[in-house]
Amino acid sequence: MTTALAALPLEAEGAVAAASASGAFSVAWLLIALPMLGAAVLLLAGRRSDAWGHWLGVLASGSAFVVGAVLWFAMMGLPADERVQDLHLFSWIPAGAFSLDAGLRVDPLSLAFVLLVTFVGTLIHVYSVAYMEHDTDRRRFFAYLNLFVAAMLLLVLADSYVLLFVGWEGVGLASYLLIGFWNHEMPNAVAAKKAFVANRVGDIGMIVAIGLMFATFGATDFSSVFGRAEGAGEGLLTATGLMLLLAATGKSAQFPLQSWLGDAMAGPTPVSALIHAATMVTAGVYLVVRSAPVYAGAPTALLVVAIVGAITLLFGAIVGCAKDDIKKTLAASTMSQIGYMMLAAGLGPIGYAFAIFHLLTHGFFKAGMFLGAGSVMHGMGDSVDMRRFGGLSRYMKVTWLTFAAGWLAIIGFPGLSGFWSKDKIIESAYAVADGEGWQPWVFGTVALVGAGITAFYMSRLFFMTFHGDKRWSDGHGEGPADGPVRHPHESPRLMTVPMAILAVGSVALGGILAFGDSFVTWLEPVTGHAEHHEPVLPIWLIMVLTFVLVIAGVFLAWRQYAAAPVAVVPPRGSVLTRAARKDLYQDDVNEALLMLPGQYLTRSLVYGDRQLVDGAATGLARVVAGSGEIVRRVQNGYVRSYASTMVAGIVALTAVVLAFQI
């Protein structure tokens, strides 16, 4: 990919100029220590903390947010060239000439994630107090939530790839525990295992990338790697960039390692909001943007990043059009929106900031909608089938209003958060490579079409759930007689207040961050300054086309799922619809390409081991045993038999001697 490379981040220009952390930044370790301490106390205290453990979990996450806010204010007071602060913790891996210290890097990129993870995470903790109220293991659930927050914060604050990998694996462990929290039901346990295995496949890429860095640069810390990347060969940087992308596809559910995300909805709904909307699935985007100096010398790897994002963008959108499970529709939406972020990151310097911009706004409106889905489930007897919903806006007004804010934000309604972040990605996609070649037309068109499809499937979800005729019975003559009996009601305030706060962010956050390009400027110490590039289409035309496609998507969804009756039993549908219901056969493809060949290889090795290796050993044993059996029969203990044998031997020897004499 031909990319206009502007001035790169401070650490990528060769000199390691990150300032040593001082003052307020010396307490950055508390960001990780506080939720980790909360998890440790809850796990070690056991049942003794059942009465108050959930509030300790809320306090640990909330305290981390307070520390993050203090660090943010402190960094706002620094000039741009001092906003990369390194905090040394301790000597971690001393091994002869090689030594790796454990340390934290506090800079605009890591702080953006810190505030997102701790603020949204704390709201989800508060929501979970009520949502998990009747669960006998609520204390353990909050311990896992705290563990996840601590691991995610370590991931984004680490100052080396090795320490980042520790946090990377930590969020993988915590997600496994949370997805399979109700593991007494087999589908939940299987879903957790599937997510765990898919992420381990991606982890191979991270391990190989770290190995390449160590072999080439003799170091894995950011300052050394980024400072020496400029002088490395393009082939090496391309290989490293592709391996980092493989890691990102696993963690961020991008093609071709995206199959686990829908199944991960088996976990409690707050897990979906925390892990699969605002935090873990965005870790891959963080990894790519953090590694900008590596990708600066690897245009081919950067192009692959954009292609993967574009494919996943459309993949998730198409799948979302056919799902009837409210949580799985939102999961498909997450997959698609992360695709937007990866596409933006693949555009290079002109897209890095917009990838993180959309990541932040998405964290608010998608977390809000996941919590809204949990509120709907709370009022509808844990049902997730949208075809059995309808008309809920009259019974759950707060849920309806807050969900509407997220819906309008994600479809890019003018003025709301998604409008400011996603439209910038579309404009940047049309401007990539200075408008030369096929790339701006392909990437721009994919992003534009994705906006229209997003408007359709998200409007479909909204209308099927909250509008149209009731497709359930209240038991008193309202609704279809054969429908399930439900008594929808609004959720308690511990659930609705976090939803309302996230709704405010869904409406206003994008405009605040976009004002005066403040957020783009904020990230420049990390992502570098990106020169402006004119898109191949006029900006006003891109905005008009986007708006027209969004309105068309909303109208088609309204006509089909609000103005017209919705079938309780899904119709057969077209070939594409049936494929989308099965996630475009991603599990079948994985089974055919990965699982079955692996099984056949394993069975062949086992057969060879049994027939050749074991067969040779057992065959020799059988020969020895057979020979012994023959000898045993001769040695029968009878004197007459021995005498006869001797006579027979003498006769035989005599015959041989006489034969030779003749």
Side-chain angles (χ1 to χ4, degrees), residues 45-131:
R47 292 294 181 186
R48 290 169 290 181
S49 62
D50 282 349
W52 46 266
H54 47 286
W55 291 116
L56 176 63
V58 173
L59 178 63
S61 181
S63 299
F65 169 71
V66 172
V67 175
V70 169
L71 297 181
W72 179 77
F73 279 111
M75 185 161 288
M76 287 290 290
L78 297 177
D81 59 354
E82 296 181 15
R83 289 181 177 175
V84 178
Q85 299 279 331
D86 283 336
L87 172 65
H88 176 268
L89 296 178
F90 53 86
S91 179
W92 185 23
I93 307 177
F98 173 78
S99 178
L100 178 63
D101 294 338
L104 305 180
R105 171 156 292 193
V106 184
D107 60 16
L109 178 61
S110 61
L111 273 186
F113 273 85
V114 165
L115 293 177
L116 174 68
V117 171
T118 55
F119 183 73
V120 175
T122 300
L123 292 177
I124 293 171
H125 276 70
V126 173
Y127 177 97
S128 300
V129 172
Y131 190 86

Side-chain angles (χ1 to χ4, degrees), residues 35-36 38-39 42-43 53-54 56-58 60-61 117 120-129 131-132 137-153 170-171 173-175 177-179 181 268-275 279:
M36 184 63 73
L42 292 176
L43 290 174
H54 47 286
L56 176 63
V58 173
S61 181
V117 171
V120 175
T122 300
L123 292 177
I124 293 171
H125 276 70
V126 173
Y127 177 97
S128 300
V129 172
Y131 190 86
M132 301 293 289
D137 289 321
R138 180 170 62 170
R139 178 262 321 160
R140 180 166 57 89
F141 180 77
F142 276 83
Y144 294 163
L145 286 184
N146 274 191
L147 176 63
F148 177 86
V149 170
M152 188 68 193
L153 291 174
V171 295
L173 170 63
S175 66
L177 296 173
L178 287 167
I179 294 169
F181 184 74
T269 302
V271 173
S272 303
L274 179 65
I275 296 180
T279 53

Side-chain angles (χ1 to χ4, degrees), residues 322 571-581 585:
R572 178 175 173 80
S574 64
V575 174
L576 181 59
T577 300
R578 296 196 298 272
R581 287 174 184 157
Y585 302 109

Side-chain angles (χ1 to χ4, degrees), residues 423-504:
D423 279 31
K424 284 295 185 181
I425 294 177
I426 299 174
E427 293 174 15
S428 300
Y430 273 113
V432 68
D434 298 324
E436 300 174 359
W438 57 269
Q439 297 168 25
W441 295 103
V442 172
F443 292 142
T445 302
V446 167
L448 188 64
V449 171
I453 302 176
T454 300
F456 171 77
Y457 74 77
M458 289 306 302
S459 299
R460 173 181 179 268
L461 181 155
F462 185 70
F463 294 140
M464 287 181 70
T465 301
F466 295 102
H467 294 276
D469 297 330
K470 294 193 300 184
R471 296 179 295 280
W472 46 272
S473 173
D474 63 1
H476 301 288
E478 289 287 338
D482 59 344
V485 176
R486 304 293 186 207
H487 302 285
H489 55 278
E490 191 55 88
S491 300
R493 288 187 179 181
L494 282 175
M495 295 172 64
T496 57
V497 169
M499 291 159 53
I501 296 174
L502 291 171
V504 172

Side-chain angles (χ1 to χ4, degrees), residues 191-378:
K193 182 176 68 174
K194 183 177 181 180
F196 191 83
V197 171
N199 276 268
R200 298 296 74 73
V201 174
D203 289 348
I204 294 174
M206 179 72 85
I207 294 171
V208 173
I210 293 174
L212 289 172
M213 294 174 194
F214 178 74
T216 306
F217 307 124
T220 61
D221 60 283
F222 294 156
S223 296
S224 299
V225 172
F226 297 162
R228 301 168 189 172
E230 188 177 356
E234 182 177 329
L236 172 72
L237 293 178
T238 298
T240 304
L242 291 176
M243 290 298 99
L244 291 174
L245 174 61
L246 176 60
T249 58
K251 197 66 72 181
S252 292
Q254 297 293 283
F255 180 85
L257 297 178
Q258 78 285 1
S259 64
W260 65 269
L261 190 62
D263 295 77
M265 298 302 105
T269 302
V271 173
S272 303
L274 179 65
I275 296 180
H276 310 121
T279 53
M280 189 183 88
V281 292
T282 61
V285 181
Y286 168 81
L287 180 65
V288 173
V289 175
R290 173 61 78 189
S291 305
V294 174
Y295 286 101
T300 301
L302 207 58
L303 174 60
V304 178
V305 172
I307 292 173
V308 167
I311 293 174
T312 312
L313 186 164
L314 291 179
F315 191 106
I318 292 171
V319 169
C321 291
K323 292 294 184 180
D324 295 324
D325 184 316
I326 187 172
K327 289 177 63 177
K328 290 191 175 183
T329 302
L330 290 173
S333 172
T334 296
M335 186 191 306
S336 180
Q337 297 304 306
I338 302 293
Y340 267 107
M341 301 170 206
M342 293 295 286
L343 172 59
L347 303 179
I350 65 173
Y352 287 142
F354 297 134
I356 304 302
F357 186 5
H358 191 54
L359 185 153
L360 294 179
T361 59
H362 174 266
F364 274 78
F365 57 68
K366 183 55 65 62
M369 286 190 288
F370 264 118
L371 296 187
S375 181
V376 170
M377 294 170 59
H378 177 80

